[in-house]
Amino acid sequence: QVQLVESGGGLVQPGGSLRLSCAASGRISSFIVMGWYRQAPGKERELVATITSGGSTNYADSVKGRFTISGDNAKNTVHLQMNSLKPEDTAVYLCMAVFPGNNHWGQGTQVTVSS
């Protein structure tokens, strides 16, 4: 059974920073793609950032220049450094991972940006 465990969410003031981490465990090989999505109340889930096993990254336009994704293919971990946070970044952030033949989602971690 594959598990994705997220950490690092919390409450931060506008302009602040948070770092999210996600670790995959279980009977898995190295990931193909790992990344983060987010879902705010009343809104659809949206892509935030992804990284491939080769290191290629992809970001939503709304977070470009503020968020940085990094990953360790050998350890099946991914991190999301979030700077200059805005109230509109408030959401549940979910880790996702694609492995050969299957993909998985984490439970999510709450990020709240508020003064």
Side-chain angles (χ1 to χ4, degrees), residues 55-101:
S56 297
T57 58
N58 182 46
Y59 295 93
D61 287 344
S62 59
V63 307
K64 283 180 181 177
R66 300 188 297 124
F67 292 10
T68 302
I69 190 169
S70 60
D72 187 327
N73 185 245
K75 296 181 179 179
N76 284 319
T77 58
V78 66
H79 308 281
L80 186 68
Q81 179 66 43
M82 305 186 294
N83 298 329
S84 302
L85 282 161
K86 305 175 181 180
E88 51 263 45
D89 293 318
T90 295
V92 174
Y93 283 69
L94 301 110
C95 177
M96 61 79 68
V98 178
F99 298 97

